[in-house]
Amino acid sequence: MVETLPSNATFLHPAFFILAGIPGLAGAQAWLMLMFGPMYLLALLGNGILLTVVRIDSTLHQPMFLLLATLAATDLGLATSIAPGLLAVLCLGPRPIPYATCLVQMFFVHALTAMESGVLLAMACDRAVAVGRPLHYPVIVTKARVGYAALALVLKIVAVIVPFPLLVARFEHFCAKTIRHAYCAHMAVVELVVGNTRANNLYGLALSLAVSGVDIVGIAGSYGLITHAVLRLPTREARAKAFGTCTSHICVILAFYVPGLFSYLTHRFGRHTVPKPVHVLLSNIYLLLPPALNPLIYGVRTKQIRERLLQMFTLRKSEF
């Protein structure tokens, strides 16, 4: 049970926070478990299988599939960073989380979200080169360049996300210990701060525009080049085949950015019109839905992976 405290009570560097889960939806805990539990299980199994397939099949050690493996690893980390705590809160009620652990979770949730956005941009650029410059693709896009791009993306994300927990750690007083959220989101923790949080708000807004905004513009530009290249192909069959190679990526982009954009808009501009439980629920769906859907989308839509999975299951059946 959460202790009721005077409205003017403050805490100096609390040893722990209490994650309240999804406030206002206590009566729907069982239904939420039935939704988030399978989503997390799908994320674990689907992305784990994708990583295994890419690892054991040497024919898939190509830039496109290495980017897909990077996306799968990011999805695994993103889902695991919030789902166990969310399911524990739904099963057992509000749970304590140590102060330092909360800051670490804050870093990984935001870092992995930014990582996923960056990988989607890299995959869009990969498809733009494959469709627009197919003869030069093996020279332009190599495994070494994919590795360098992934390393640069990780370093950039660490540099821009580290200030999030540091901006929170500089505060000494908090007005409450209960975080009205299922994980330690930056703005959910900032709401508890006693002091001037203008720097936190401005940095969060600037980072959203600089990371997700730039990635969205880059993805849109890549698909503009893809569309231009496809329309120049001579036959309808060639255009359909070229654009068909991008359908999986388009579905993944929509699964990631549409819920994310809606969650961001409701948080920034709908605080007084969108109920808090709806916003928290959307933010959890936004982080768990893409990791659950992405392996299904790529497993069904990507011919090489689909064929390799069928071979694996056929071989396993023949052994029995």
Side-chain angles (χ1 to χ4, degrees):
M1 181 181 295
V2 179
E3 184 181 358
T4 302
L5 296 161
S7 59
N8 61 350
T10 60
F11 304 92
L12 179 64
H13 283 305
F16 63 90
F17 288 114
I18 296 174
L19 293 175
I22 303 176
L25 296 180
Q29 304 281 48
W31 294 106
L32 293 174
M33 275 289 298
L34 291 176
M35 178 174 67
F36 288 119
M39 287 172 66
Y40 183 45
L41 184 61
L42 278 175
L44 290 179
L45 293 178
N47 290 291
I49 290 173
L50 270 181
L51 285 171
T52 302
V53 169
V54 174
R55 181 178 179 275
I56 66 177
D57 191 342
S58 59
T59 64
L60 299 181
H61 294 177
Q62 304 171 26
M64 172 185 172
F65 299 105
L66 294 178
L67 287 172
L68 177 56
T70 304
L71 180 67
T74 304
D75 282 336
L76 274 176
L78 184 59
T80 303
S81 66
I82 67 164
L86 170 63
L87 296 177
V89 170
L90 292 178
C91 287
L92 306 172
R95 307 296 297 168
I97 180 171
Y99 179 80
T101 304
C102 183
L103 296 183
V104 171
Q105 184 187 48
M106 181 189 303
F107 169 80
F108 278 105
V109 168
H110 292 287
L112 290 169
T113 303
M115 182 72 182
E116 177 133 352
S117 182
V119 173
L120 291 178
L121 172 60
M123 296 175 77
C125 294
D126 172 78
R127 291 298 85 203
V129 176
V131 174
R133 304 285 296 276
L135 297 179
H136 299 87
Y137 178 82
V139 177
I140 297 174
V141 183
T142 64
K143 290 190 288 185
R145 288 179 177 173
V146 169
Y148 292 142
L151 178 60
L153 179 60
V154 170
L155 293 177
K156 183 194 78 169
I157 288 172
V158 170
V160 298
I161 300 297
V162 161
F164 264 148
L166 295 181
L167 284 171
V168 174
R170 67 192 175 98
F171 292 106
E172 296 184 353
H173 295 87
F174 295 82
C175 64
K177 292 183 179 180
T178 301
I179 301 174
R180 299 179 63 202
H181 216 296
Y183 61 90
C184 289
H186 174 249
M187 294 311 299
V189 178
V190 168
E191 290 177 354
L192 307 182
V193 167
V194 176
N196 187 349
T197 61
R198 182 178 179 83
N200 297 70
N201 296 328
L202 290 177
Y203 190 79
L205 178 60
L207 189 61
S208 297
L209 296 175
V211 176
S212 297
V214 170
D215 290 346
I216 291 173
V217 171
I219 291 171
S222 297
Y223 273 94
L225 295 175
I226 290 171
T227 303
H228 177 71
V230 168
L231 293 178
R232 294 175 59 188
L233 295 175
T235 65
R236 178 179 298 178
E237 290 77 11
R239 290 193 292 268
K241 182 178 179 180
F243 200 70
T245 62
C246 305
T247 53
S248 298
H249 188 239
I250 293 173
C251 293
V252 169
I253 289 172
L254 293 176
F256 180 73
Y257 282 112
V258 171
L261 182 61
F262 192 70
S263 176
Y264 175 81
L265 292 176
T266 57
H267 178 74
R268 287 289 176 184
F269 307 107
R271 291 186 180 183
H272 303 295
T273 57
V274 179
K276 180 72 172 182
V278 174
H279 167 65
V280 176
L281 182 63
L282 285 173
S283 66
N284 283 277
I285 292 175
Y286 159 56
L287 295 181
L288 282 175
L289 184 63
L293 289 182
N294 290 352
L296 295 178
I297 293 171
Y298 278 110
V300 172
R301 299 291 304 178
T302 306
K303 180 181 177 181
Q304 295 93 323
I305 293 177
R306 186 171 64 247
E307 290 178 348
R308 181 57 179 165
L309 285 173
L310 290 175
Q311 291 175 3
M312 289 175 61
F313 286 118
T314 302
L315 181 61
R316 181 61 61 87
K317 287 182 179 179
S318 64
E319 291 177 353
F320 290 99

